[in-house]
Amino acid sequence: YRSLFIMLLRGAGITVHAEVHTNTGRADIVIIFENVIFVLEFKCADTQNSIDSVRKLGIKQREEKNYAKTYESDSRRLIKQVFIVDVVNRKIIL
C-alpha cells in the first residue's frame, strides 16, 4: 500500500521521500509541499478490532523515534499522521 501511495504521489509531481532515516529509525513517508510537510507512518490492521491498537502503536512509534524532529525547525506547517490500512475492508483510515 505504501509503495502504491508513493507511486501515485510521485506520478503527480509531488516531492515524496520514502524510508527517511533518523538517528532512531525511519519515517515511512515524508511529503514536502511549499507550505506544509507531512510525516506519515503506515500500519496494517488485519482485523476490525485491531485498528485502534495499531493506530496507537503507530503514534507511539512516530513519537518515540522522533520521525518529525528534522522538520520541526522548518518554517512550514508540520503535519504528523498515521495511516491505517484496513486489510479486511480494503481501505485507508486516518
Side-chain angles (χ1 to χ4, degrees):
Y1 291 100
R2 182 181 61 208
S3 297
L4 179 60
F5 190 68
I6 292 167
M7 252 182 7
L8 291 169
L9 292 172
R10 285 186 178 158
I14 296 169
T15 303
V16 179
H17 302 285
E19 298 290 326
V20 179
H21 290 266
T22 69
N23 64 332
T24 56
R26 293 183 302 240
D28 285 338
I29 297 176
V30 175
I31 305 169
I32 300 177
F33 289 102
E34 186 176 323
N35 297 321
V36 65
I37 298 172
F38 291 89
V39 177
L40 307 177
E41 181 65 24
F42 272 71
K43 294 290 183 194
C44 284
D46 50 6
T47 66
Q48 194 67 32
N49 296 334
S50 67
I51 291 172
D52 286 334
S53 62
V54 169
R55 177 182 291 113
K56 288 176 186 173
L57 176 67
I59 291 169
K60 180 180 177 188
Q61 178 182 336
R62 182 189 69 208
E63 297 306 317
E64 284 181 353
K65 302 214 180 250
N66 292 315
Y67 292 156
K69 186 174 185 174
T70 304
Y71 309 100
E72 288 175 351
S73 62
D74 195 293
S75 62
R76 291 174 274 196
R77 183 174 170 208
L78 179 61
I79 297 174
K80 301 178 279 185
Q81 185 66 50
V82 176
F83 277 37
I84 308 298
V85 178
D86 180 349
V87 177
V88 175
N89 295 309
R90 298 181 184 179
K91 62 182 180 178
I92 293 179
I93 303 168
L94 298 176

